[in-house]
Amino acid sequence: MKHTSLKAAIHQITLLLSFYRGPPSKPTGHPIRCTVSKISNGSILHEIGHALGLHHEHQRPDRDDFVIIDPSVKKDKDYKVIPEGRKFGAYDCKSVMHYGKIPGKISSKGSACAGMGQRKILTMGDIAAAAAIPTFPFDTICGMIRSKSGNGYLLVETRGGVVYFGDALFCGSRGGQHLDTPVCGIAPTPSGNGYWLVAEDGGVFSFGDAQFFDSAIDSTRP
Ligand SMILES: [Zn+2]
């Protein structure tokens, strides 16, 4: 392995882990196995993704719009659709959690899944999905909102992390970022596709379809 690619791998892992604080609430127990001769940045990231609880992208229920799975492997554990999985964002052919073309098993549907199977960098979708993994132990929880359907909810931590359960939509958080004062509340948008967080100093953070109007920060405060 080249020194530069090792550095890149460490950078990518650091990036992934910086969005991830604490072990997952439901550890998968997935062992990280890497054959030294086949090790690559992306393969390590792929296995870490599993360990954090991410499934293969090509096992999403909407995968048939993008890839062709050979009938002979449709029931295999690495190819079957996982209906109970949680779709996160748009289908991401370039995700490190997506397989590349394997003759007789998986291929792109025409050009619908160009670039599938890359193992170089995390996509924005990979980073967003990793950031949305519920973490445990949680910081002090200070607020809660229900999902639009009522079949889920979001909790917010004083340090700005947002944790989703059920069908609640995670649209981002301030977890892992500097905050001048703790977060103390969360409010949903009417659509259920966004929310605002408010901090003790009056700072407001908007996510998803929530619009930002202004904060109530008193700049004269010491
Ligand atoms: Zn895998």
Side-chain angles (χ1 to χ4, degrees), residues 25-126:
S25 56
K26 290 172 198 152
T28 61
H30 180 86
I32 298 179
R33 282 187 299 257
C34 294
T35 312
V36 172
S37 61
K38 292 175 79 178
I39 202 164
S40 72
N41 302 353
S43 305
I44 297 170
L45 294 171
H46 179 99
E47 298 307 327
I48 290 177
H50 282 312
L52 295 180
L54 302 182
H55 296 301
H56 289 139
E57 190 76 356
H58 57 269
Q59 293 184 266
R60 282 171 55 136
D62 55 349
R63 57 99 180 275
D64 292 329
D65 293 338
F66 304 90
V67 291
I68 299 165
I69 304 289
D70 194 84
S72 65
V73 294
K74 269 194 170 153
K75 289 191 172 143
D76 287 10
K77 72 171 177 54
D78 289 329
Y79 293 92
K80 69 177 185 210
V81 167
I82 304 174
E84 71 276 18
R86 185 188 155 80
K87 274 200 297 185
F88 192 87
Y91 192 88
D92 186 5
C93 291
K94 291 180 179 166
S95 166
V96 294
M97 301 312 292
H98 200 298
Y99 278 6
K101 181 180 180 178
I102 303 175
K105 292 185 174 176
I106 180 170
S107 61
S108 174
K109 190 171 184 181
S111 59
C113 214
M116 61 188 259
Q118 70 84 19
R119 290 288 182 274
K120 290 195 171 73
I121 57 165
L122 296 171
T123 64
M124 291 312 289
D126 289 331

Side-chain angles (χ1 to χ4, degrees), residues 192-209:
N193 296 323
Y195 41 82
W196 292 273
L197 303 185
V198 60
E200 285 180 4
D201 64 357
V204 174
F205 309 102
S206 52
F207 299 92
D209 68 358

Side-chain angles (χ1 to χ4, degrees), residues 123-188:
T123 64
M124 291 312 289
D126 289 331
I127 292 169
I133 294 168
T135 59
F136 184 86
F138 303 125
D139 295 331
T140 306
I141 301 291
C142 57
M144 174 185 193
I145 52 173
R146 69 171 178 82
S147 69
K148 191 158 194 200
S149 71
N151 293 319
Y153 40 80
L154 294 159
L155 307 182
V156 62
E157 304 167 309
T158 52
R159 280 195 244 172
V162 172
V163 188
Y164 71 82
F165 296 91
D167 69 357
L169 192 65
F170 175 87
C171 302
S173 80
R174 291 287 295 189
Q177 297 169 58
H178 171 77
L179 287 171
D180 288 334
T181 61
V183 166
C184 58
I186 182 169

